[in-house]
Amino acid sequence: MTNEQMGKWQTLFHPSDPCPRFPDPYLEFRMTHTDPLVTVEHLQKYYPVNQGLFAQTRHYIHAVDDLSFQIGRGESLGLVGESGCGKTTTGKLLVKLIDPTKGHIYLGSNGSQTDIAPLKGAAVKQFRRRVQMIFQDPYESMNPRLTIYDTVAEPLVVQGIGTVIEREERVAEMLALVGLTPPASFLFRFPHELSGGQRQRVAIARALVVQPKFVVADEPTSMLDVSIRTGVMHLMSNLARRLDVTYLYITHDLAVARYMCHRIAVMYLGKMVELAETEELLQHPQHPYTKALLASVPVPDPSIKRQAAEIKGGIPTPINPPAYCRFYERCLIATARCRDDAHPPLADKGNGHSVACYAV
Amino acid sequence: MTDSISTTQSLSRESGVELDLLAREERITPVPLWRVRVKLWWRSARQNAAIFADNKIGLLGLAIILLFGVMALAHPILMATVWDARTYDPITGYSFDELRQPAPPSARHLLGTDPLGRDVLSQLMYSTRNEFILGLLAALITVTIATTIGATTAYFGGVYDMIFMRVADLIIMTPAISLLIVMCALFNPDLPQLAVVIGILSGFGGTTIIIKSQALSIRVKPFIEAAKVAGGGHRHIIMTHILPNLLPFSFLYMMFGVTAAIFSEATLSFFGLLNVRMSWGIMIFTAQAAGYLLSGVEYWWLLIPAGASITLLCSAFYLVGRALDEVVNPRLRKR
Ligand SMILES: Nc1ncnc2c1ncn2[C@@H]1O[C@H](COP(=O)(O)OP(=O)(O)OP(=O)(O)O)[C@@H](O)[C@H]1O
Ligand SMILES: [Mg+2]
């Protein structure tokens, strides 16, 4: 796929378009065919809202509220949703950068699952070899005083993997893998001497250098120029296949999720409202919020009439949200039950499609 | 952990990725790593020097500091060669060939003599060394304490942070100079002791807060989280990520620290509170004790050389600090 083709596709995405991806065995993935690598159960993260030095905390930001899902081995799960809905928080919880308020995260298949919460000391280091993260901002996620070599070799050094010569070789291999060739010409440059796209490739190399099985990618392309975005996405899905990596791919761009992910989970104010295989979700969205998200994807062809947004009101705050459906205030199809009952659970509607809504 | 990862195995072998590019026996870098690092360090030092040199006030400051440095070094040489100790010793000398003390500048005494008949130029040069020792020692202690506390409190936070911040508040609330005056009156310290006291007061006080605020802005950068995800412990993160980004600021505040220390010493000496035999502050104190402080321009050589030296050296370190500020804060650069 040339850059022009991909660039064109980038701006021309619409749910009614055929899938932009080339026929590819990687995409024939079915969650049901594999065992889970990551299992999340009732995951919660509340942040206290401070109200002065001596006031007792009574208000909490419900950044992530009762998430349960699984990610299959080799799968790439997309996490989409508007700003502030808790995507990054979920990602950080999964890589143990922050600890959950409640809930469990398990790594591994059914028979031999490890709960990551109680891991300490050496076990955390071991865990860091299996789970890595790629950050959003390629300009801030690298220490400006370290060379590319030191940045990529850091996980190897802190984990005590290999000798100096072995590390050097591994780093060079990784740089070649992410398309920074010849590696020797990049090893001893500083981050500021690289372009945004090259830096993000370095960040990918750093995450993959310990050969992790699971990688959380937090909007890895959102800060990049559109013209180089597709190249980085292409690289990431290629590497996932070659190195057998499972992704949680966080993005707010449905077009990106469509290219990168086997399944897409839609989040709204800390809750997961819909989860389905990519094309299924895009062609047959069921939750009113997902429908609104899809309707908001810009259509470059002016002759196509744009659907009216099926949503009202603005984004409510995640501070002490109501017990009933989080989406109630903005929903056009809400019934009395939506107001009276608790937030709807994610219910399977068949075809691997789960929706959290009483009205559909 | 369920599936063990054989991390020492080569990626290319494990994943079957074709890497013709890397089909080689020799190392990627023909020279050892440490040589590359020295070279990189040297290059960045040269770049920083170029930015510093672009700033004329910084060069001016540096020139003044060098001038005083030469003066300090020249004094023992002059004493050993052309200046005979009986006449020119800064503390015990006496100029017998002047009829009246203090004598105005002459060919023998370029800056005249003081009320006790001692050569002013010799005193001035002799004191310079003390000022350097005091200023640099105090600033070094200040910055060492402030950097250690600033980096760790910013990183760990919590009770540890609170304790040091309350101590800093306490020190800042107390007027430093009156505290120093009381302390000197009680203990009558010599110069190194004074440097330690100033260093500790400033190190636990205002400088800590300034350096901590810098450390906080580094601590929230995503590369700290990236280091954590890489598996780095607290020590690794502080030593490899926070300190290297903090040290330029520490160095910068060291320059301002020198200024503050020299100024404090001058004030304390002027009140005769220090156990110091000769310094710029003592020179002014001597003139004042003999009643020449308010005599105006008539006895200018008793006041101007010492006063101007204090001002010049203090401003020189300040100017160097300002120029360094542009080196370490790229946002301040003009271009
Ligand atoms: N450390 C924190 N302390 C307090 N509140 C936080 C913290 N981190 C996140 N939050 C809050 O949690 C909510 C979710 O934040 P999060 O960063 O996960 O959103 P996001 O979906 O990643 O948004 P974006 O698309 O803008 O990156 C937000 O309301 C945010 O203000
Ligand atoms: Mg985010």
Side-chain angles (χ1 to χ4, degrees), chain A residues 4 39 168 214 225 236 255:
Chain A
E4 288 90 72
T39 307
E168 223 172 82
F214 177 52
D225 202 76
M236 284 185 67

Side-chain angles (χ1 to χ4, degrees), chain A residues 83-84 86-89 136 218-219 250:
Chain A
S83 187
K87 306 186 294 292
T88 299
T89 308
Q136 176 174 16
D218 188 1
E219 310 204 29
I250 298 172

